[in-house]
Amino acid sequence: MADGSDTTLTTEKASPAPTGLVAGLKAFAAEHGGARAVIEYVGKRGARIVLVGSDGEWADQFADGTDVAREACGTAGITVENEWERELMDQMRPSNDLWRSMARRTMAR
């Protein structure tokens, strides 16, 4: 048979998650008593990892792709949710600075 036939299984191994990204995820989880994540695809930019801490604080990180984001979260020991569920959104507590910035955007329109 020719090379690349249907009996040959070839898989490309994903590149490992950047150590800086994993360290940032671990630091956030440690500082906020654990964390859960939602990964959002943002086109050419890659993927956004939105972290929600057990204390309600949240932050985000960017990865080169959703596969890299999932690997980084797995390495950091952070549970990845499949979508934004009500319980996760209810857990989030936006800061006063975020509320102010949202108010400025609304009034500027």
Side-chain angles (χ1 to χ4, degrees):
M1 283 192 157
D3 289 338
S5 68
D6 61 348
T7 60
T8 305
L9 178 63
T10 57
T11 58
E12 291 183 27
K13 188 169 182 168
S15 59
T19 55
L21 177 61
V22 173
L25 297 174
K26 284 182 178 180
F28 180 86
E31 188 175 324
H32 298 283
R36 294 190 292 173
V38 175
I39 298 172
E40 300 172 338
Y41 174 71
V42 290
K44 290 181 182 179
R45 171 95 191 242
R48 178 182 183 206
I49 305 169
V50 182
L51 298 162
V52 181
S54 297
D55 60 357
E57 293 293 321
W58 62 280
D60 61 356
Q61 297 272 340
F62 281 89
D64 291 336
T66 55
D67 56 339
V68 175
R70 285 191 180 280
E71 185 177 337
C73 288
T75 303
I78 294 175
T79 303
V80 177
E81 301 292 332
N82 290 329
E83 61 185 27
W84 284 104
E85 303 215 0
R86 183 180 185 98
E87 294 82 22
L88 186 59
M89 293 194 65
D90 287 345
Q91 184 178 344
M92 293 177 75
R93 290 184 302 190
S95 67
N96 288 335
D97 292 336
L98 180 61
W99 284 116
R100 280 192 287 276
S101 71
M102 288 189 294
R104 281 193 297 268
R105 285 185 216 145
T106 302
M107 294 195 176
R109 291 182 188 180

